[in-house]
Every structure is written in structure tokens, then in C-alpha cells.
Amino acid sequence: MKLYFHYFLFIQSLLILACQPKSKPSSTIISPKDSTLIRSLDSVAERFLAQNDLPCAVIGLIENGRPLTTLYYGHSEVGKKQKVQGSTVFNLGSISKSLTAWGILRLVEKGEVVLDSPATKYIKTWEFPPHNFDESKITVRRLLGHNAGLSLSGYPGFKNSSELPSTVESLNGLTNGPGRVEVVYEPGTEFRYSGGGFTVLQLLIEETTQMSFSEYMTQYVFIPLDMKHSTFETIDDAHPLQPNLAKPYNGKGKEIIDLNFTARAAAGLRSTSNDMIQFILAELQSGTKSILDEKWIRLMHKPNSSSERYGLGHQVRPFKNKRIIGHVGNNQGWHSNFEFIPETKSGIVVLTNGNDGFYFHNTIMCQWISHQTGERTLEFCATLPLAKIGKLQEMVLDWYTKSYITPIQRDTLHTRFHEIRIIGPSDIKKVIRGLNILEGHLSDNYPDVPKSHIKEYRKISQEVISGLNSVMW
């Protein structure tokens, strides 16, 4: 995925005016520290939306186990100038897996499912394709933790709801590209992200409860947790949530088709910032309602045997004396995440309706994690500068295509400055040093490149340097 930046002042001015935030009132007393966080996130969000094609974004904050505030930016549907609000419905992609884990653990708590039993014990209408592994090791726990040995990391979705296959047909390979779910390595031996494993869990829920997955999740998860605007159903024109549904957009700000999913447990959740705040409060055991005993919630947050960074349907990020737990969700035109810290009962939800949302929520998470832990992580903080390095790479390729530079000059630029893998501070310093050196040599060493191109290159280069320097802070 690539960012396309717009530098025309007129366009920037329009975007700035369109993206002024609105805060949801909160009864929580805002401390000076929390006020600093809100101002910091607001400043970063405004600057990002002014420079990129992201139609809208929502940032919801929780502190001390209570909602703090929610910030709203832009429009859920650009053409109608529909402002985003707390009841605006987004597709949350793989955040579906965290909700599905709650649905499974409810069955475990009720004694209807055993975590360490084989999934095949509960599924009678489908079986795994032929393989050479011990199928009894493909347990419910391992499916939730992505270490059951299964294939198929993600799903592209379908353009038309009429195309949607059944859950069994999807497992058998009607997935619009990725193929069927297979056993590809020894269950229990390693972590390998598998959306396919959650489709197996979806079928398990359907067969165990004799309900559709969507009906079960609505009745036993959404309603008890007071998540009034959440669903795993396909939202057609007659659906009650349709008027609240945001539109998805590509990286150039153009509206695209909203995709549908049979693999709902893996990628089909529709929800709002208000509902996700309710969900985080339940995760923190700070809400007025819950459907699970505390021990099951803690279990979902505990890293599994194959990965210190994933529990049961939840990503886990260890920091000094703290754990940040949550999940990201990325589908075409939608990017979101929710995170929380059990030790401090702090939380955040970020929802967006454009492909640039991936960089937006990483940028916001960089600020939030820094505020909560004092650390700036490469995982989030280096994302946007690295994407801008990608833009520089595009420019170099364009110079070569137009014969402004020779193959040797092209390879020199890429090798010296743009193909360094950043895995630590020393690599960041190397890239910054290389970009700074290049600043003084562009005109002399590449005389055939138009001055306007060099000017734009330098502008983006300085943005990269500034961004990477902030990671070093």
C-alpha cells in the first residue's frame, strides 16, 4: 500500500477546514496529563488528515477504567458531507477475532465446549482436507491462538452479497482467491496467523449452538455487552444499521466498493466507536455488564505457548511492567485498532474509513503508547516515515523511466539510502545520515533531473528525516 501526498495549498486548506475535530462530552474529570494526551493526539490527527486522503477518523479514549473523551474528524460519506459520530458504523476487519474469542469462551464457561478438545469433536458437516498430521492436536485453544497448523492468513471479501458462499463452502475453497483451509504444519509447534482457523471456529459455533454465527454473537455477546450498533450480518439496504454505515475509500480518497465476508469470525465485524469503548470496558472488567468470569478474560490476554505476542484472539505487546492488549483490523478501505492496558485500565479505539487509515492509526498509536509507557516503538512510530521512503523510491523509479538517471545511478540511490532494513536505532541513524548527505548532492550528481522534482524529493526527504528523528526521541 502506498501513500500519495498532496502539496497544493488550496487542497490542504479545504482538508483542514473539513477535518476539524468534535469531542464527545465526558463527565470524567480530565487531569493535566490526560489533557496533554488529548492535545497531542488532536494535533497529530489534524496534521495527518490535512496531508493525506483519509475521509474520516474517530479516536476514543479510556482512562482509569472510564471513558475520557472521543475525537471525531471528517466525513463518513464525503459526497453527502455526512459527519462522523459515535454511532457511525465501520468495518473492523480482524478485530472480529477478539469478539469471536469472547463468543467461544462463553461456550467454554457454559461447559458446551472444552478448550483443549479437538475442533472436530464439535464439527460434523465438514472435515479437513487430507494431511499427514495428528488432527486431535487441532484444538479450540490452538485455533484461537493461531498455532493449530492451519493455512489461509486472510480473506479479500466479495463485492456482492449475493456471491457469498456458506461457511462450509468457504472452508472448502470458495474464498475469492486464497483457497481452502488446510493443515500445513504440525499443530502446536509454531505461531502462524490464520484467518482460516477462525472460520473453523465460526462453523464450530454454528454447529454447537444450532444458530447462525451472526445470531449467536448478537444474542450472547453484543446485547449483553450493550453494543447496540454492532453486527456480523451483511448490511444491505434494508438493514437497520445501513443509514449509519460509513463508506470506504482508497488511498486517493476515492470511494470504493464495500466488501462482504462469509468469514465473519475472521473479518466481518461492523461496529462503532461507542460500542468498542463498551467492549474495552468489558475487557478491563470496568463495565457494568459482562458475560465472562474474570479468569476467562485474563486467559484471553495471556500469551500462548507459541507466541509471546498473541493470546486467544488478542494481540499482546509487552512493555516494562505493562502489557498492551488488543487487535488491529485491516480490510480494503477500512483500518482500525483497539488497545488497552490492564494494569492502568487505559484504552484507545481508532476507526478510519480509508486505506491511509493504516498509517493514521499507527501514527496515533505511536503517540498513545509513548504517553502510556514512555517508549516509542518502531512497529508504530516508524511506519509513516518508512512509507514516505517508499514515495522516494517511486520518484527514483520515475526518474529512471524518464531517462533522467542511468541504471547505475538508480541502483546507487536505492542501495545507499532506500533499501536498508530498519530493525533498530543504528539503522535509523544510517538512513538519516544517508538522506542528509544526499541533500547536498542531488543537483550536482543528477543534473538531468528537473529542479521541481528535486525540490519535491527534498521536501519528502525532510519529512522522512523529521519522522525518523521523532522515533529516536
Side-chain angles (χ1 to χ4, degrees):
M1 189 179 305
K2 300 172 182 175
L3 287 173
Y4 295 87
F5 296 92
H6 295 259
Y7 302 102
F8 297 104
L9 183 60
F10 175 67
I11 298 299
Q12 284 189 341
S13 299
L14 289 180
L15 286 170
I16 292 171
L17 288 172
C19 299
Q20 292 299 312
K22 299 293 183 182
S23 292
K24 177 184 177 181
S26 173
S27 59
T28 302
I29 297 175
I30 299 178
S31 69
K33 182 180 179 182
D34 293 337
S35 180
T36 299
L37 171 64
I38 293 169
R39 288 197 305 270
S40 172
L41 294 179
D42 184 38
S43 175
V44 169
E46 283 193 345
R47 186 164 62 250
F48 186 100
L49 269 78
Q51 294 177 344
N52 301 280
D53 285 312
L54 183 61
C56 82
V58 185
I59 304 171
L61 298 171
I62 292 170
E63 287 294 336
N64 300 314
R66 293 187 296 175
L68 179 64
T69 192
T70 304
L71 304 174
Y72 305 100
Y73 304 86
H75 298 96
S76 58
E77 187 173 355
V78 175
K80 294 183 179 180
K81 302 295 182 183
Q82 182 67 47
K83 291 184 178 180
V84 65
Q85 50 192 333
S87 59
T88 299
V89 177
F90 295 78
N91 177 282
L92 272 59
S94 287
I95 290 176
S96 305
K97 297 176 176 67
S98 298
L99 275 297
T100 299
W102 274 66
I104 290 288
L105 266 294
R106 180 191 173 277
L107 294 176
V108 171
E109 185 172 79
K110 298 295 182 182
E112 298 178 46
V113 169
V114 177
L115 269 177
D116 292 311
S117 288
T120 51
K121 176 181 176 180
Y122 307 99
I123 297 174
K124 306 305 178 186
T125 61
W126 177 81
E127 58 185 29
F128 290 102
H131 57 86
N132 297 318
F133 304 100
D134 184 353
E135 205 162 278
S136 68
K137 293 182 179 180
I138 306 174
T139 63
V140 176
R141 186 192 300 270
R142 286 172 175 161
L143 289 170
L144 286 168
H146 295 290
N147 61 340
L150 301 189
S151 65
L152 210 162
S153 60
Y155 293 86
F158 293 83
K159 291 183 179 180
N160 300 311
S161 58
S162 60
E163 298 175 339
L164 291 176
S166 67
T167 305
V168 169
E169 288 173 333
S170 175
L171 289 167
N172 284 335
L174 291 180
T175 53
N176 197 22
R180 66 185 182 180
V181 175
E182 299 179 320
V183 189
V184 293
Y185 67 96
E186 181 66 34
T189 59
E190 64 179 279
F191 175 88
R192 186 179 296 187
Y193 194 83
S194 173
F198 273 75
T199 307
V200 175
L201 290 171
Q202 177 175 317
L203 183 60
L204 184 154
I205 287 175
E206 291 176 340
E207 295 208 13
T208 301
T209 65
Q210 294 300 298
M211 302 172 67
S212 74
F213 175 75
S214 301
E215 290 171 340
Y216 170 79
M217 293 299 293
T218 295
Q219 184 170 336
Y220 293 107
V221 178
F222 296 144
I223 291 176
L225 294 183
D226 201 25
M227 298 175 69
K228 300 176 181 178
H229 294 87
S230 297
T231 186
F232 277 103
E233 297 172 352
T234 298
I235 298 181
D236 56 23
D237 290 342
H239 197 282
L241 293 181
Q242 199 282 330
N244 295 35
L245 183 63
K247 301 292 185 182
Y249 295 82
N250 65 15
K252 297 182 180 181
K254 181 180 179 180
E255 184 178 335
I256 58 178
I257 293 175
D258 191 12
L259 300 174
N260 301 283
F261 296 86
T262 286
R264 294 176 171 90
L269 174 65
R270 307 277 184 170
S271 191
T272 68
S273 59
N274 286 350
D275 279 9
M276 286 306 298
I277 287 172
Q278 287 293 112
F279 182 61
I280 293 174
L281 293 175
E283 295 265 24
L284 292 171
Q285 302 147 56
S286 296
T288 57
K289 300 180 180 181
S290 185
I291 60 172
L292 292 176
D293 185 85
E294 180 181 344
K295 69 177 181 180
W296 301 116
I297 298 175
R298 289 201 307 267
L299 181 63
M300 287 189 286
H301 302 168
K302 181 182 178 180
N304 67 49
S305 59
S306 298
S307 174
E308 66 174 8
R309 295 177 68 83
Y310 207 93
L312 303 181
H314 291 72
Q315 294 168 326
V316 181
R317 297 180 177 87
F319 290 85
K320 296 176 183 177
N321 304 317
K322 294 178 182 178
R323 295 165 301 144
I324 295 181
I325 297 166
H327 216 292
V328 299
N330 300 316
N331 277 333
Q332 187 67 26
W334 307 98
H335 295 278
S336 55
N337 67 328
F338 80 99
E339 311 286 344
F340 57 90
I341 303 175
E343 292 81 4
T344 62
K345 293 192 179 298
S346 302
I348 184 171
V349 56
V350 182
L351 307 180
T352 63
N353 67 335
N355 283 345
D356 281 0
F358 173 77
Y359 301 104
F360 179 84
H361 73 60
N362 278 17
T363 302
I364 293 299
M365 285 306 303
C366 171
Q367 296 294 115
W368 186 77
I369 291 174
S370 175
H371 177 85
Q372 300 292 347
T373 69
E375 298 183 39
R376 296 178 72 83
T377 67
L378 286 176
E379 177 184 1
F380 292 112
C381 298
T383 301
L384 189 54
L386 290 178
K388 292 185 178 182
I389 287 181
K391 179 63 176 177
L392 296 182
Q393 291 174 321
E394 288 181 26
M395 294 183 69
V396 170
L397 179 60
D398 182 61
W399 294 352
Y400 169 71
T401 301
K402 294 178 178 177
S403 300
Y404 297 149
I405 59 177
T406 66
I408 293 177
Q409 289 174 321
R410 175 202 60 193
D411 294 343
T412 298
L413 283 168
H414 279 297
T415 301
R416 290 183 63 189
F417 307 121
H418 305 317
E419 293 185 349
I420 298 173
R421 185 183 177 196
I422 293 183
I423 58 175
S426 62
D427 301 309
I428 293 177
K429 291 178 180 178
K430 191 180 298 182
V431 172
I432 292 174
R433 186 165 57 249
L435 289 170
N436 276 322
I437 291 172
L438 184 58
E439 287 286 314
H441 293 278
L442 274 174
S443 297
D444 294 338
N445 292 348
Y446 307 95
D448 293 332
V449 178
K451 287 182 169 49
S452 61
H453 288 218
I454 291 177
K455 183 178 180 180
E456 182 180 2
Y457 187 100
R458 284 175 170 159
K459 175 181 173 60
I460 299 174
S461 175
Q462 285 302 311
E463 291 172 352
V464 172
I465 293 170
S466 175
L468 291 178
N469 271 322
S470 73
V471 179
M472 297 294 293
W473 172 78

PDB file of all heavy atoms in Angstrom, residues 15-40:
ATOM      1  N   LEU A  15      -9.010  20.591   3.212  1.00  0.00           N
ATOM      2  CA  LEU A  15      -8.971  19.437   4.092  1.00  0.00           C
ATOM      3  C   LEU A  15      -8.931  19.842   5.552  1.00  0.00           C
ATOM      4  O   LEU A  15      -9.586  19.245   6.404  1.00  0.00           O
ATOM      5  CB  LEU A  15      -7.753  18.565   3.762  1.00  0.00           C
ATOM      6  CG  LEU A  15      -7.867  17.738   2.481  1.00  0.00           C
ATOM      7  CD1 LEU A  15      -6.521  17.131   2.135  1.00  0.00           C
ATOM      8  CD2 LEU A  15      -8.914  16.656   2.650  1.00  0.00           C
ATOM      9  N   ILE A  16      -8.149  20.864   5.867  1.00  0.00           N
ATOM     10  CA  ILE A  16      -8.065  21.318   7.252  1.00  0.00           C
ATOM     11  C   ILE A  16      -9.418  21.776   7.745  1.00  0.00           C
ATOM     12  O   ILE A  16      -9.865  21.467   8.849  1.00  0.00           O
ATOM     13  CB  ILE A  16      -7.019  22.451   7.385  1.00  0.00           C
ATOM     14  CG1 ILE A  16      -5.609  21.880   7.133  1.00  0.00           C
ATOM     15  CG2 ILE A  16      -7.103  23.108   8.750  1.00  0.00           C
ATOM     16  CD1 ILE A  16      -4.542  22.928   7.021  1.00  0.00           C
ATOM     17  N   LEU A  17     -10.140  22.528   6.908  1.00  0.00           N
ATOM     18  CA  LEU A  17     -11.466  23.005   7.308  1.00  0.00           C
ATOM     19  C   LEU A  17     -12.438  21.846   7.478  1.00  0.00           C
ATOM     20  O   LEU A  17     -13.280  21.859   8.386  1.00  0.00           O
ATOM     21  CB  LEU A  17     -11.999  23.972   6.242  1.00  0.00           C
ATOM     22  CG  LEU A  17     -11.309  25.348   6.199  1.00  0.00           C
ATOM     23  CD1 LEU A  17     -11.802  26.120   4.985  1.00  0.00           C
ATOM     24  CD2 LEU A  17     -11.559  26.137   7.477  1.00  0.00           C
ATOM     25  N   ALA A  18     -12.301  20.815   6.626  1.00  0.00           N
ATOM     26  CA  ALA A  18     -13.253  19.699   6.680  1.00  0.00           C
ATOM     27  C   ALA A  18     -13.001  18.774   7.848  1.00  0.00           C
ATOM     28  O   ALA A  18     -13.881  18.034   8.256  1.00  0.00           O
ATOM     29  CB  ALA A  18     -13.173  18.893   5.380  1.00  0.00           C
ATOM     30  N   CYS A  19     -11.801  18.800   8.404  1.00  0.00           N
ATOM     31  CA  CYS A  19     -11.423  17.783   9.377  1.00  0.00           C
ATOM     32  C   CYS A  19     -11.272  18.320  10.799  1.00  0.00           C
ATOM     33  O   CYS A  19     -10.577  17.740  11.611  1.00  0.00           O
ATOM     34  CB  CYS A  19     -10.110  17.111   8.941  1.00  0.00           C
ATOM     35  SG  CYS A  19     -10.243  16.299   7.342  1.00  0.00           S
ATOM     36  N   GLN A  20     -11.874  19.465  11.096  1.00  0.00           N
ATOM     37  CA  GLN A  20     -11.829  19.960  12.458  1.00  0.00           C
ATOM     38  C   GLN A  20     -12.534  18.976  13.380  1.00  0.00           C
ATOM     39  O   GLN A  20     -13.602  18.476  13.073  1.00  0.00           O
ATOM     40  CB  GLN A  20     -12.511  21.333  12.548  1.00  0.00           C
ATOM     41  CG  GLN A  20     -11.757  22.423  11.816  1.00  0.00           C
ATOM     42  CD  GLN A  20     -10.360  22.626  12.367  1.00  0.00           C
ATOM     43  OE1 GLN A  20     -10.171  22.735  13.564  1.00  0.00           O
ATOM     44  NE2 GLN A  20      -9.373  22.652  11.493  1.00  0.00           N
ATOM     45  N   PRO A  21     -11.945  18.654  14.532  1.00  0.00           N
ATOM     46  CA  PRO A  21     -12.499  17.614  15.379  1.00  0.00           C
ATOM     47  C   PRO A  21     -13.675  18.085  16.195  1.00  0.00           C
ATOM     48  O   PRO A  21     -13.816  19.266  16.495  1.00  0.00           O
ATOM     49  CB  PRO A  21     -11.324  17.267  16.298  1.00  0.00           C
ATOM     50  CG  PRO A  21     -10.586  18.562  16.434  1.00  0.00           C
ATOM     51  CD  PRO A  21     -10.712  19.227  15.092  1.00  0.00           C
ATOM     52  N   LYS A  22     -14.519  17.137  16.562  1.00  0.00           N
ATOM     53  CA  LYS A  22     -15.578  17.351  17.524  1.00  0.00           C
ATOM     54  C   LYS A  22     -15.371  16.360  18.649  1.00  0.00           C
ATOM     55  O   LYS A  22     -15.147  15.178  18.407  1.00  0.00           O
ATOM     56  CB  LYS A  22     -16.951  17.139  16.887  1.00  0.00           C
ATOM     57  CG  LYS A  22     -17.239  18.093  15.722  1.00  0.00           C
ATOM     58  CD  LYS A  22     -17.370  19.523  16.171  1.00  0.00           C
ATOM     59  CE  LYS A  22     -17.738  20.434  14.994  1.00  0.00           C
ATOM     60  NZ  LYS A  22     -17.823  21.849  15.386  1.00  0.00           N
ATOM     61  N   SER A  23     -15.426  16.809  19.877  1.00  0.00           N
ATOM     62  CA  SER A  23     -15.225  15.932  21.013  1.00  0.00           C
ATOM     63  C   SER A  23     -16.551  15.525  21.602  1.00  0.00           C
ATOM     64  O   SER A  23     -17.465  16.342  21.713  1.00  0.00           O
ATOM     65  CB  SER A  23     -14.381  16.629  22.091  1.00  0.00           C
ATOM     66  OG  SER A  23     -13.077  16.819  21.634  1.00  0.00           O
ATOM     67  N   LYS A  24     -16.620  14.268  22.002  1.00  0.00           N
ATOM     68  CA  LYS A  24     -17.790  13.789  22.722  1.00  0.00           C
ATOM     69  C   LYS A  24     -17.662  14.225  24.173  1.00  0.00           C
ATOM     70  O   LYS A  24     -16.647  13.957  24.819  1.00  0.00           O
ATOM     71  CB  LYS A  24     -17.864  12.260  22.634  1.00  0.00           C
ATOM     72  CG  LYS A  24     -19.011  11.663  23.418  1.00  0.00           C
ATOM     73  CD  LYS A  24     -18.955  10.148  23.345  1.00  0.00           C
ATOM     74  CE  LYS A  24     -20.053   9.532  24.174  1.00  0.00           C
ATOM     75  NZ  LYS A  24     -19.995   8.050  24.137  1.00  0.00           N
ATOM     76  N   PRO A  25     -18.659  14.917  24.730  1.00  0.00           N
ATOM     77  CA  PRO A  25     -18.575  15.353  26.109  1.00  0.00           C
ATOM     78  C   PRO A  25     -18.382  14.170  27.048  1.00  0.00           C
ATOM     79  O   PRO A  25     -18.885  13.076  26.823  1.00  0.00           O
ATOM     80  CB  PRO A  25     -19.942  16.023  26.348  1.00  0.00           C
ATOM     81  CG  PRO A  25     -20.431  16.375  24.996  1.00  0.00           C
ATOM     82  CD  PRO A  25     -19.911  15.301  24.090  1.00  0.00           C
ATOM     83  N   SER A  26     -17.623  14.391  28.123  1.00  0.00           N
ATOM     84  CA  SER A  26     -17.383  13.346  29.101  1.00  0.00           C
ATOM     85  C   SER A  26     -17.537  13.908  30.503  1.00  0.00           C
ATOM     86  O   SER A  26     -17.162  15.045  30.776  1.00  0.00           O
ATOM     87  CB  SER A  26     -15.962  12.777  28.920  1.00  0.00           C
ATOM     88  OG  SER A  26     -15.651  11.882  29.960  1.00  0.00           O
ATOM     89  N   SER A  27     -18.109  13.090  31.376  1.00  0.00           N
ATOM     90  CA  SER A  27     -18.270  13.506  32.766  1.00  0.00           C
ATOM     91  C   SER A  27     -16.994  13.287  33.566  1.00  0.00           C
ATOM     92  O   SER A  27     -16.886  13.693  34.719  1.00  0.00           O
ATOM     93  CB  SER A  27     -19.426  12.730  33.413  1.00  0.00           C
ATOM     94  OG  SER A  27     -19.169  11.329  33.351  1.00  0.00           O
ATOM     95  N   THR A  28     -16.006  12.590  32.943  1.00  0.00           N
ATOM     96  CA  THR A  28     -14.751  12.318  33.625  1.00  0.00           C
ATOM     97  C   THR A  28     -13.942  13.596  33.789  1.00  0.00           C
ATOM     98  O   THR A  28     -13.816  14.387  32.858  1.00  0.00           O
ATOM     99  CB  THR A  28     -13.918  11.295  32.815  1.00  0.00           C
ATOM    100  OG1 THR A  28     -14.696  10.110  32.649  1.00  0.00           O
ATOM    101  CG2 THR A  28     -12.629  10.963  33.527  1.00  0.00           C
ATOM    102  N   ILE A  29     -13.401  13.803  34.978  1.00  0.00           N
ATOM    103  CA  ILE A  29     -12.528  14.950  35.214  1.00  0.00           C
ATOM    104  C   ILE A  29     -11.208  14.710  34.488  1.00  0.00           C
ATOM    105  O   ILE A  29     -10.555  13.677  34.676  1.00  0.00           O
ATOM    106  CB  ILE A  29     -12.282  15.146  36.727  1.00  0.00           C
ATOM    107  CG1 ILE A  29     -13.606  15.455  37.426  1.00  0.00           C
ATOM    108  CG2 ILE A  29     -11.267  16.261  36.959  1.00  0.00           C
ATOM    109  CD1 ILE A  29     -13.475  15.554  38.944  1.00  0.00           C
ATOM    110  N   ILE A  30     -10.821  15.642  33.633  1.00  0.00           N
ATOM    111  CA  ILE A  30      -9.621  15.482  32.821  1.00  0.00           C
ATOM    112  C   ILE A  30      -8.418  16.066  33.552  1.00  0.00           C
ATOM    113  O   ILE A  30      -8.371  17.258  33.850  1.00  0.00           O
ATOM    114  CB  ILE A  30      -9.803  16.155  31.448  1.00  0.00           C
ATOM    115  CG1 ILE A  30     -10.976  15.496  30.701  1.00  0.00           C
ATOM    116  CG2 ILE A  30      -8.533  16.045  30.623  1.00  0.00           C
ATOM    117  CD1 ILE A  30     -11.270  16.111  29.353  1.00  0.00           C
ATOM    118  N   SER A  31      -7.451  15.213  33.845  1.00  0.00           N
ATOM    119  CA  SER A  31      -6.235  15.638  34.539  1.00  0.00           C
ATOM    120  C   SER A  31      -5.318  16.374  33.571  1.00  0.00           C
ATOM    121  O   SER A  31      -5.474  16.268  32.350  1.00  0.00           O
ATOM    122  CB  SER A  31      -5.510  14.411  35.097  1.00  0.00           C
ATOM    123  OG  SER A  31      -4.981  13.633  34.037  1.00  0.00           O
ATOM    124  N   PRO A  32      -4.333  17.107  34.091  1.00  0.00           N
ATOM    125  CA  PRO A  32      -3.371  17.775  33.199  1.00  0.00           C
ATOM    126  C   PRO A  32      -2.658  16.794  32.268  1.00  0.00           C
ATOM    127  O   PRO A  32      -2.418  17.094  31.100  1.00  0.00           O
ATOM    128  CB  PRO A  32      -2.393  18.433  34.178  1.00  0.00           C
ATOM    129  CG  PRO A  32      -3.218  18.685  35.408  1.00  0.00           C
ATOM    130  CD  PRO A  32      -4.145  17.514  35.503  1.00  0.00           C
ATOM    131  N   LYS A  33      -2.330  15.604  32.781  1.00  0.00           N
ATOM    132  CA  LYS A  33      -1.656  14.604  31.957  1.00  0.00           C
ATOM    133  C   LYS A  33      -2.564  14.139  30.821  1.00  0.00           C
ATOM    134  O   LYS A  33      -2.133  14.023  29.673  1.00  0.00           O
ATOM    135  CB  LYS A  33      -1.238  13.409  32.809  1.00  0.00           C
ATOM    136  CG  LYS A  33      -0.488  12.335  32.022  1.00  0.00           C
ATOM    137  CD  LYS A  33      -0.102  11.168  32.906  1.00  0.00           C
ATOM    138  CE  LYS A  33       0.623  10.099  32.090  1.00  0.00           C
ATOM    139  NZ  LYS A  33       0.975   8.920  32.925  1.00  0.00           N
ATOM    140  N   ASP A  34      -3.833  13.893  31.149  1.00  0.00           N
ATOM    141  CA  ASP A  34      -4.774  13.463  30.118  1.00  0.00           C
ATOM    142  C   ASP A  34      -5.031  14.576  29.110  1.00  0.00           C
ATOM    143  O   ASP A  34      -5.192  14.323  27.916  1.00  0.00           O
ATOM    144  CB  ASP A  34      -6.094  13.024  30.750  1.00  0.00           C
ATOM    145  CG  ASP A  34      -5.945  11.755  31.577  1.00  0.00           C
ATOM    146  OD1 ASP A  34      -4.994  11.001  31.320  1.00  0.00           O
ATOM    147  OD2 ASP A  34      -6.780  11.530  32.477  1.00  0.00           O
ATOM    148  N   SER A  35      -5.067  15.802  29.587  1.00  0.00           N
ATOM    149  CA  SER A  35      -5.261  16.946  28.699  1.00  0.00           C
ATOM    150  C   SER A  35      -4.110  17.061  27.704  1.00  0.00           C
ATOM    151  O   SER A  35      -4.318  17.352  26.525  1.00  0.00           O
ATOM    152  CB  SER A  35      -5.390  18.233  29.513  1.00  0.00           C
ATOM    153  OG  SER A  35      -5.587  19.345  28.672  1.00  0.00           O
ATOM    154  N   THR A  36      -2.900  16.798  28.182  1.00  0.00           N
ATOM    155  CA  THR A  36      -1.727  16.809  27.305  1.00  0.00           C
ATOM    156  C   THR A  36      -1.850  15.733  26.229  1.00  0.00           C
ATOM    157  O   THR A  36      -1.542  15.968  25.054  1.00  0.00           O
ATOM    158  CB  THR A  36      -0.439  16.579  28.121  1.00  0.00           C
ATOM    159  OG1 THR A  36      -0.294  17.639  29.074  1.00  0.00           O
ATOM    160  CG2 THR A  36       0.784  16.539  27.219  1.00  0.00           C
ATOM    161  N   LEU A  37      -2.312  14.540  26.625  1.00  0.00           N
ATOM    162  CA  LEU A  37      -2.505  13.459  25.665  1.00  0.00           C
ATOM    163  C   LEU A  37      -3.522  13.844  24.601  1.00  0.00           C
ATOM    164  O   LEU A  37      -3.285  13.652  23.403  1.00  0.00           O
ATOM    165  CB  LEU A  37      -2.968  12.193  26.388  1.00  0.00           C
ATOM    166  CG  LEU A  37      -3.430  11.038  25.484  1.00  0.00           C
ATOM    167  CD1 LEU A  37      -2.272  10.526  24.628  1.00  0.00           C
ATOM    168  CD2 LEU A  37      -4.025   9.908  26.316  1.00  0.00           C
ATOM    169  N   ILE A  38      -4.648  14.401  25.019  1.00  0.00           N
ATOM    170  CA  ILE A  38      -5.703  14.775  24.074  1.00  0.00           C
ATOM    171  C   ILE A  38      -5.194  15.811  23.080  1.00  0.00           C
ATOM    172  O   ILE A  38      -5.419  15.694  21.872  1.00  0.00           O
ATOM    173  CB  ILE A  38      -6.936  15.300  24.826  1.00  0.00           C
ATOM    174  CG1 ILE A  38      -7.585  14.169  25.637  1.00  0.00           C
ATOM    175  CG2 ILE A  38      -7.961  15.885  23.857  1.00  0.00           C
ATOM    176  CD1 ILE A  38      -8.637  14.649  26.614  1.00  0.00           C
ATOM    177  N   ARG A  39      -4.494  16.826  23.582  1.00  0.00           N
ATOM    178  CA  ARG A  39      -3.956  17.862  22.689  1.00  0.00           C
ATOM    179  C   ARG A  39      -2.947  17.276  21.711  1.00  0.00           C
ATOM    180  O   ARG A  39      -2.919  17.636  20.532  1.00  0.00           O
ATOM    181  CB  ARG A  39      -3.307  18.985  23.502  1.00  0.00           C
ATOM    182  CG  ARG A  39      -4.295  19.877  24.239  1.00  0.00           C
ATOM    183  CD  ARG A  39      -3.628  21.176  24.667  1.00  0.00           C
ATOM    184  NE  ARG A  39      -2.434  20.935  25.467  1.00  0.00           N
ATOM    185  CZ  ARG A  39      -2.417  20.822  26.786  1.00  0.00           C
ATOM    186  NH1 ARG A  39      -3.551  20.912  27.472  1.00  0.00           N
ATOM    187  NH2 ARG A  39      -1.289  20.618  27.437  1.00  0.00           N
ATOM    188  N   SER A  40      -2.112  16.358  22.196  1.00  0.00           N
ATOM    189  CA  SER A  40      -1.096  15.743  21.340  1.00  0.00           C
ATOM    190  C   SER A  40      -1.739  14.921  20.235  1.00  0.00           C
ATOM    191  O   SER A  40      -1.368  15.052  19.055  1.00  0.00           O
ATOM    192  CB  SER A  40      -0.183  14.847  22.193  1.00  0.00           C
ATOM    193  OG  SER A  40       0.695  14.109  21.377  1.00  0.00           O
TER     194      SER A  40
END
